[in-house]
């Protein structure tokens, strides 16, 4: 129901947009060419979403994550692409209402919760903000960098940020994490219990990371509690559309465009986006910055969310991943849209 409402909303917005363009052209006061305005037109936004979906829907490269057994069972052909503007208009194509595991796309939003509670500097001091240049589940990163400094978007840093959420007990910690992700989506996001069970039972690598962090005094709650809450955070269910709204909240300076709620102080948004640009694609972040030029975050559930600061978010989902653990179709779709609309933050618009 809620989603139908949004679809009507976006259709309505499209009519208003088309009407406005026609009116502008008729009066001859301005041109409707999107390059002359700060935002691409409604028609153009829907066009690029449709084209990105059509162009990459037959791409079969990569494979589902299988180190978390249940992720291997998600239908590989699913593919959704969404743009959500900073004022909450939604443009979509494909399987945008399919609920998948949020996995690491949760990490910047939980980092936002820690920033809101303790300030952005706490993330820098207690976790680090340096890209590791290593895979997301690297234990080596904790051994080779000074002061065990990593960043909040790799597993080590994300387990640490969960342990930093201010809570008196595990249940409160989890409630705060889940409620914060839901607030970013503007809707309640459920725990996918089957995903949680599948991931928690096989989390030996993350458990090693949590124990190493604790040993180095870079974990701020008990390791197994941190592990459970971290794994639940990764097992939250989200749709491509909801992920788009989460990104649009960052594009909108920290205020959710659907609910009007501020979720992050405006001054912390640039810091968070900087970390997403340099580390959101793990050891592929350089290549991603080079091609799309957008802060983004990927997850092994197949989701990716990219932020165009002050304008919009682009989210895409498809389960097949490349070697770095990033969705092949989703990254191609977002890259295409960024390219078509000249969205790179380095473009000097
Ligand atoms: N929950 C996953 C893990 O800990 C998240 C990894 C990811 O999405 N890149 O391995």
């Amino acid at each position: 129901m809620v989603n139908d409402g949004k679809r009507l909303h976006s259709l309505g917005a499209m009519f208003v947009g088309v009407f406005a363009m026609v009116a502008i052209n008729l009066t001859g006061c301005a041109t409707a060419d999107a390059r002359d305005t700060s935002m691409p037109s409604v028609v153009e936004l829907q066009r690029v979403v449709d084209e990105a979906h059509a162009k990459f829907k037959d791409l079969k490269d990569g494979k589902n994550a299988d180190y978390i057994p249940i992720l291997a069972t998600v239908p590989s052909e699913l593919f959704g692409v969404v743009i959500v503007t900073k004022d909450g208009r939604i443009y979509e194509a494909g399987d945008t209402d399919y609920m998948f595991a949020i996995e690491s796309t949760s990490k910047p939003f939980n980092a936002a919760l820690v920033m809101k509670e303790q300030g952005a500097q706490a993330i820098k001091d207690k976790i680090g903000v340096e890209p590791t240049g290593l895979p997301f589940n690297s234990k080596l990163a904790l051994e080779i960098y000074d002061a065990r400094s990593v960043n909040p978007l790799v597993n080590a840093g994300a387990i640490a940020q969960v342990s930093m959420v201010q809570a008196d007990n595990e249940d409160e910690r989890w409630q705060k994490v889940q409620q914060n992700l839901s607030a970013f989506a503007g809707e309640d996001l459920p725990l996918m219990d089957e995903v949680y069970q599948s991931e928690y039972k096989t989390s030996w690598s993350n458990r090693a990371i949590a124990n190493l962090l604790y040993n180095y005094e870079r974990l701020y709650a008990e390791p197994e509690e941190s592990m459970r809450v971290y794994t639940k955070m990764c097992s939250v269910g989200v749709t491509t559309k909801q992920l788009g709204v989460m990104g649009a909240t960052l594009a909108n300076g920290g205020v959710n465009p659907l609910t009007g709620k501020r979720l992050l102080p405006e001054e912390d948004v640039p810091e968070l986006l900087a970390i997403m640009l340099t580390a959101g694609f793990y050891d592929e972040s350089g290549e991603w910055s080079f091609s799309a030029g957008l802060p983004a975050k990927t997850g092994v559930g197949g989701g990716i969310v990219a932020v165009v600061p002050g304008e919009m978010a682009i989210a895409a989902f498809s389960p097949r991943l490349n070697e770095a653990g990033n969705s092949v179709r989703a990254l191609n779709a977002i890259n295409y849209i960024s390219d078509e609309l000249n969205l790179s933050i380095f473009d000097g618009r």
Side-chain angles (χ1 to χ4, degrees), residues 11-276:
L11 268 180
M14 192 182 298
F15 275 121
V16 172
V18 170
F19 179 77
M21 283 169 57
V22 170
I24 287 167
N25 271 341
L26 285 177
T27 56
C29 294
T31 166
D33 182 353
R35 293 291 175 275
D36 297 337
T37 63
S38 58
M39 274 286 286
S41 73
V42 168
V43 171
E44 206 171 8
L45 290 173
Q46 187 60 51
R47 170 183 70 80
V48 291
V49 166
D50 287 338
E51 284 177 6
H53 185 267
K55 229 173 148 53
F56 301 109
K57 72 177 176 6
D58 297 322
L59 191 58
K60 309 268 188 219
D61 295 358
K63 67 178 187 60
N64 286 37
D66 56 8
Y67 75 97
I68 299 169
I70 200 164
L71 296 184
T73 68
V74 179
S76 305
E77 292 307 326
L78 289 165
F79 185 29
V81 185
V82 155
I83 286 178
V84 182
T85 59
K86 70 163 185 175
D87 52 359
R89 282 175 292 134
I90 296 172
Y91 305 87
E92 55 183 302
D95 304 305
T96 53
D97 289 321
Y98 183 87
M99 188 172 74
F100 58 94
I102 192 167
E103 298 296 346
S104 292
T105 52
S106 60
K107 292 172 181 174
F109 303 102
N110 195 64
L113 172 61
V114 175
M115 286 180 171
K116 190 172 102 181
E117 286 184 345
Q118 299 172 48
Q121 188 67 29
I123 293 273
K124 182 173 182 306
D125 294 344
K126 295 178 131 183
I127 299 174
V129 293
E130 212 58 60
T132 64
L134 290 164
F136 63 82
N137 54 3
S138 175
K139 285 151 284 286
L140 189 60
L142 283 174
E143 300 294 341
I144 59 179
Y145 293 117
D146 280 354
R148 319 290 170 190
S149 182
V150 287
N151 67 69
L153 303 185
V154 291
N155 289 9
I159 297 169
Q161 40 145 318
V162 165
S163 78
M164 287 171 71
V165 170
Q166 288 165 343
D168 290 334
N169 55 54
E170 181 171 341
D171 190 49
E172 189 188 352
R173 187 180 306 285
W174 161 237
Q175 295 300 330
K176 282 178 92 169
V177 167
Q178 186 180 24
Q179 279 162 13
N180 173 65
L181 295 177
S182 298
F184 267 99
E187 289 175 4
D188 286 344
L189 299 182
L191 173 69
M192 296 174 83
D193 198 52
E194 276 190 325
V195 175
Y196 174 63
Q197 298 301 339
S198 178
E199 182 161 348
Y200 188 66
K201 274 188 214 142
T202 53
S203 273
W204 301 109
S205 170
N206 283 340
R207 202 161 275 118
I209 290 172
N211 283 307
L212 276 177
L213 283 167
Y214 198 65
N215 182 54
Y216 296 136
E217 299 182 355
R218 298 285 280 186
L219 194 69
Y220 308 97
E222 190 270 323
E224 204 54 36
E225 172 182 336
S226 308
M227 271 293 302
R228 278 190 293 270
V229 178
Y230 166 80
T231 310
K232 281 185 182 166
M233 174 175 88
C234 294
S235 306
V236 160
V238 74
T239 67
T240 313
K241 223 186 286 183
Q242 289 167 330
L243 190 58
V245 175
M246 294 174 84
T249 302
L250 297 180
N252 193 34
V255 175
N256 183 308
L258 301 186
T259 63
K261 274 202 196 132
R262 171 163 296 285
L263 300 172
L264 180 64
E266 194 158 13
E267 67 266 23
D268 292 340
V269 174
E271 273 103 336
L272 182 56
L273 294 178
I275 303 170
M276 291 170 74

Side-chain angles (χ1 to χ4, degrees), residues 268-326:
D268 292 340
V269 174
E271 273 103 336
L272 182 56
L273 294 178
I275 303 170
M276 291 170 74
L277 180 76
T278 53
F281 264 68
Y282 311 116
D283 44 333
E284 248 182 13
S285 298
E287 209 171 302
W288 175 254
S289 301
F290 181 83
S291 56
L294 292 175
K297 186 70 204 85
T298 71
V300 292
I304 303 182
V305 57
V307 179
V308 188
E311 293 192 26
M312 67 185 90
I314 313 164
F317 155 70
S318 199
R320 290 196 195 96
L321 312 178
N322 66 13
E323 286 293 310
N326 301 324

